[in-house]
Amino acid sequence: MTTVEQPAEAGEKETARCAHVDGHGPVSGAEAPESPRERVNRRWNEILQETRVTQTGVQILFGFLLSVAFTPLFRELGTADRVIYVTTVVLGASATGSLIAPVSIHRFLSGQRMKDEVVEAAGRLMMCGMILLALTIGCTLLLILRFVIPGVLAETLAAAVMLWFGLCWYVLPLHLRRHAARRSPAGDA
């Protein structure tokens, strides 16, 4: 066995342990559950990965939004579209702030032995940022569709996409959480 394979094997064991503790998968009773310190470290690493993904998306979207005001077509926007644009930019800036905040919190509190609090605050900020990001995307879509498709079809399409976001980002995870919670007590008995 090479040294490259050993970390992968250790990673598989860690994943199995985490799955058992979090109720995300069946694991034999021989696996030791993760300690509170291992759990908070794992949760922090997960938040960092999620932050990397969302930060990239929100920063690209926000940059696009900022550039729109400097295009010739922006002058053609009516009052309603300008209100949508301003709302979208404010939502995008707020999403950016929420999604980057965990980095700032970590930097300010690093070494203070407050990892539990940092992870909890970062998780809440990520959820807030995801809501703001979904709203930013919805408003951006609405603004673009209103410019391209006149009439109520633009609003209908934007609402349908927002409904899809709500289903994928919020309803499905909550459904899966409830399903796992109902299954868990039966599995423990």
Side-chain angles (χ1 to χ4, degrees), residues 11-152:
E12 289 170 10
K13 287 180 183 177
E14 183 65 23
T15 301
R17 244 186 306 160
C18 295
H20 175 67
V21 171
D22 289 344
H24 293 295
V27 176
S28 68
E31 297 291 334
E34 64 187 355
S35 70
R37 183 179 182 97
E38 289 171 328
R39 185 171 196 276
V40 76
N41 286 334
R42 176 185 50 80
R43 288 183 64 215
W44 177 248
N45 287 331
E46 289 171 353
I47 286 172
L48 287 178
Q49 293 302 322
E50 293 162 359
T51 300
R52 287 181 183 115
V53 170
T54 55
Q55 278 180 356
T56 302
V58 77
Q59 288 171 342
I60 291 169
L61 180 58
F62 189 57
F64 162 75
L65 288 170
L66 293 177
S67 68
V68 167
F70 301 102
T71 63
L73 291 176
F74 184 77
R75 292 184 197 106
E76 295 179 25
L77 293 180
T79 303
D81 290 330
R82 286 177 185 256
V83 168
I84 293 169
Y85 173 76
V86 169
T87 302
T88 305
V89 169
V90 170
L91 286 168
S94 300
T96 301
S98 290
L99 295 171
I100 294 176
V103 175
S104 177
I105 290 171
H106 180 263
R107 186 53 23 226
F108 276 100
L109 300 177
S110 181
Q112 300 297 312
R113 300 188 186 272
M114 296 178 63
K115 197 169 225 177
D116 287 327
E117 293 86 353
V118 168
V119 168
E120 187 64 32
R124 290 180 189 274
L125 284 163
M126 288 291 296
M127 286 303 298
C128 179
M130 293 298 294
I131 291 168
L132 292 167
L133 177 59
L135 292 171
T136 303
I137 292 169
C139 287
T140 302
L141 182 62
L142 178 61
L143 185 63
I144 292 169
L145 289 176
R146 282 177 54 99
F147 192 77
V148 176
I149 306 169
V152 74

